[in-house]
Amino acid sequence: MDKECIGCGLCEAMCHKKAIRIIEDKDGSFCDRNTELCDNCGVCSKLCPVEQLKEKEELSQVDTVAIGRSKDEHVVTNSASGGIVSETLMHLFRTGQIDAAIVAFFDHHANIYGDVIENEGDVLKHSGSYYHTSNQLINVKKIKQYNKLAVVGLPCHIDGIKNYCKLTGQMDKVITISLFCTIGRTYEGFRRFIKHETGFDVAKGEVRDYQSRIGDRKLIHIEDDKGNVYECPDEKYKFTMDFFSANRTCLECRKMYGLSADISVGDAWHKVNEENGVKQKRAIISANTKYGEVLLGTLRESLQLEYVTNGAYELASSQRYGTGLKQFHNESIVRRLDKIRCLRKLNDNPLLFRVSCRLRGKLLDKLGADTEKVKDQLR
Ligand SMILES: Cc1cc2nc3c(=O)[nH]c(=O)nc-3n(C[C@H](O)[C@H](O)[C@H](O)COP(=O)(O)OP(=O)(O)OC[C@H]3O[C@@H](n4cnc5c(N)ncnc54)[C@H](O)[C@@H]3O)c2cc1C
Ligand code: SF4
Ligand code: SF4
Ligand code: SF4
């Protein structure tokens, strides 16, 4: 428990002795438990999703899958992959199906955490994907104040929220929306990248605005308290940081699509549309429960949506590397990922960087080949 952690914040929020603090350093997240305060009640172990993350997701259970984006260009611009999540939340508020939602917030050092919004008007202020660790469940206790909520999170957050609802008898209260996830990146990696690219250290400066993966160029956009703007392409961030700044626990995680959620949303990387040389944002959506199917159906008014046959195959195809990584969980690949992760941590030496990029390229080739094997089985 003290070693394996993805920093969701659930145990810290729920410990009645306030004995837990979630910490992140260069090695990733860990849970710091004060043994003098702890009375061994066991709640934190019951809630922690880490062990569940090691179970492979069954692609054969996938049924209804669609590809699409919002019909509203403003929503698309503000969103990560076409605004499916944002449109879903707005629809749920508009139709009175929820009175609150847990989405991602940022603090004045660009740390990401989950908190509650209470109306449709606030949805777009929290769109886009912040590609680093999120204490998404740190405010989970607020759920009690509401009748029905939507919770947005990565597959690990969805497993965590389900554990919480089960333990507190609130299973019927929550609608879950999962984001796909190949790998989680650390805050430290994000901080280093932004500092290298823009000179701004988010850990030292005051962040007033932070949006990620927005606009046609999919920018990371940061504004400090003096009004200075720092921007860089999200793709460059992902290239520099994917796998290099991963949380150790993420290397063991086998949850790519979050199939335990009502709906799951990711990028339709395999069906990229280009208009005027610009790649159009489009998402792939899996409806995983009966309620999720109904919900997807009712979203047709606000979404351009195309249902696909053989949904499992399309899901696997959409994640060129993630499918291979998580469906096979090839031990030797994980060991090699861990090595390049350590190599990059050592220093920012340009030669080491080039070597680790080359190693990364070879690993991606292998992961891509594993993904092809999964696709062959599903064809
Ligand atoms: C860390 C991370 C890794 C991802 N990896 C992949 C991947 O490998 N492959 C893939 O296809 N898709 C991945 N995604 C999902 C993808 O980026 C989009 O979030 C998803 O396709 C939904 O797009 P959208 O336009 O419908 O969402 P939007 O309408 O833009 O809404 C996004 C929602 O996500 C919430 N959110 C943002 N950042 C976080 C965070 N760190 N933790 C929890 N909630 C957050 C926002 O508050 C918002 O409610 C990842 C997302 C994140 C945050
Ligand atoms: S066992 Fe109970 S008291 Fe101890 S850290 Fe966990 S939740 Fe807190
Ligand atoms: S994964 Fe979540 S619940 Fe588990 S130790 Fe880390 S913060 Fe606590
Ligand atoms: S790989 Fe993604 S879903 Fe899995 S533990 Fe890491 S952040 Fe969570």
Side-chain angles (χ1 to χ4, degrees):
M1 171 94 185
D2 291 337
K3 281 190 199 134
E4 291 192 86
C5 174
I6 36 88
C8 72
L10 186 53
C11 58
E12 184 177 323
M14 291 300 289
C15 174
H16 69 126
K17 289 285 184 183
K18 297 202 181 326
I20 297 182
R21 243 173 7 121
I22 303 306
I23 296 174
E24 195 182 294
D25 66 8
K26 278 190 175 172
D27 291 322
S29 310
F30 66 96
C31 156
D32 183 25
R33 184 162 46 157
N34 183 330
T35 46
E36 282 178 19
L37 292 177
C38 170
D39 67 2
N40 292 313
C41 73
V43 163
C44 53
S45 318
K46 276 191 200 139
L47 291 171
C48 182
V50 163
E51 283 307 312
Q52 286 149 277
L53 300 175
K54 296 175 184 169
E55 292 156 24
K56 187 172 90 167
E57 289 180 305
E58 273 315 319
L59 275 167
S60 57
Q61 82 178 62
V62 171
D63 186 16
T64 310
V65 172
I67 291 176
R69 59 192 255 150
S70 168
K71 286 181 183 167
D72 181 339
E73 280 308 313
H74 178 62
V75 174
V76 174
T77 304
N78 262 284
S79 71
S81 328
I84 306 294
V85 174
S86 297
E87 284 290 2
T88 306
L89 295 177
M90 290 192 285
H91 168 83
L92 291 172
F93 274 118
R94 214 178 299 135
T95 51
Q97 292 185 65
I98 54 169
D99 51 359
I102 292 186
V103 295
F105 282 64
F106 62 89
D107 72 6
H108 59 289
H109 290 311
N111 291 294
I112 301 303
Y113 64 98
D115 210 343
V116 172
I117 55 168
E118 292 181 340
N119 58 66
E120 187 186 342
D122 282 344
V123 170
L124 289 185
K125 292 181 197 155
H126 301 274
S127 297
S129 284
Y130 301 109
Y131 279 114
H132 52 94
T133 337
S134 162
N135 295 166
Q136 193 69 357
L137 302 179
I138 196 78
N139 285 303
V140 71
K141 277 186 171 169
K142 290 189 183 174
I143 286 183
K144 287 207 172 108
Q145 300 165 25
Y146 301 96
N147 293 320
K148 188 101 184 177
L149 295 93
V151 177
V152 180
L154 298 163
C156 49
H157 303 144
I158 300 301
D159 281 351
I161 195 74
K162 294 212 148 193
N163 293 347
Y164 166 82
C165 289
K166 219 181 273 171
L167 195 77
T168 57
Q170 301 183 90
M171 277 311 260
D172 294 339
K173 225 178 179 182
V174 165
I175 296 166
T176 43
I177 303 174
S178 185
L179 314 172
F180 291 8
C181 183
T182 303
I183 199 91
R185 303 135 188 104
T186 59
Y187 172 80
E188 174 62 17
F190 163 75
R191 184 192 72 79
R192 276 204 345 241
F193 173 79
I194 296 294
K195 186 153 184 264
H196 181 264
E197 292 297 306
T198 71
F200 181 59
D201 189 342
V202 290
K204 293 192 179 138
E206 286 287 314
V207 173
R208 189 166 69 186
D209 190 22
Y210 170 23
Q211 291 166 281
S212 188
R213 202 139 188 263
I214 51 150
D216 289 340
R217 287 166 57 223
K218 303 191 188 104
L219 290 173
I220 298 174
H221 168 104
I222 295 172
E223 203 175 313
D224 69 12
D225 57 335
K226 297 175 192 76
N228 299 312
V229 170
Y230 309 93
E231 283 184 338
C232 34
D234 146 88
E235 280 190 10
K236 189 166 183 197
Y237 166 58
K238 279 207 247 142
F239 171 76
T240 322
M241 287 302 156
D242 266 11
F243 307 113
F244 293 145
S245 65
N247 232 327
R248 181 66 187 79
T249 310
C250 293
L251 301 186
E252 300 292 334
C253 170
R254 306 195 67 183
K255 302 280 168 86
M256 170 77 240
Y257 313 97
L259 297 181
S260 64
D262 289 305
I263 61 166
S264 312
V265 189
D267 281 287
W269 294 120
H270 63 315
K271 296 246 160 104
V272 168
N273 257 4
E274 277 205 28
E275 261 174 41
N276 303 324
V278 180
K279 284 180 192 162
Q280 296 294 301
K281 293 176 181 177
R282 280 204 312 170
I284 179 160
I285 311 118
S286 165
N288 311 316
T289 59
K290 285 268 169 278
Y291 173 76
E293 273 180 39
V294 174
L295 179 60
L296 194 58
T298 56
L299 282 165
R300 293 191 91 154
E301 270 187 21
S302 44
L303 302 180
Q304 296 168 14
L305 210 56
E306 200 184 299
Y307 283 84
V308 293
T309 50
N310 198 353
Y313 176 78
E314 295 292 340
L315 279 196
S317 308
S318 73
Q319 306 302 313
R320 204 163 147 206
Y321 307 121
T323 297
L325 178 66
K326 305 232 176 172
Q327 288 286 309
F328 271 100
H329 197 72
N330 183 324
E331 290 293 335
S332 83
I333 296 242
V334 173
R335 268 201 306 280
R336 278 185 274 169
L337 281 173
D338 206 11
K339 275 191 191 128
I340 55 169
R341 189 176 147 267
C342 292
L343 196 61
R344 281 287 291 134
K345 241 181 358 190
L346 290 178
N347 59 38
D348 288 322
N349 178 316
L351 182 67
L352 270 183
F353 180 63
R354 277 209 298 279
V355 172
S356 44
C357 281
R358 192 163 277 198
L359 282 173
R360 176 190 190 267
K362 286 197 183 309
L363 282 168
L364 292 186
D365 289 346
K366 177 76 185 91
L367 291 176
D370 283 350
T371 295
E372 289 306 315
K373 280 189 225 158
V374 177
K375 282 166 62 182
D376 279 346
Q377 287 161 12
L378 295 167
R379 225 180 278 271

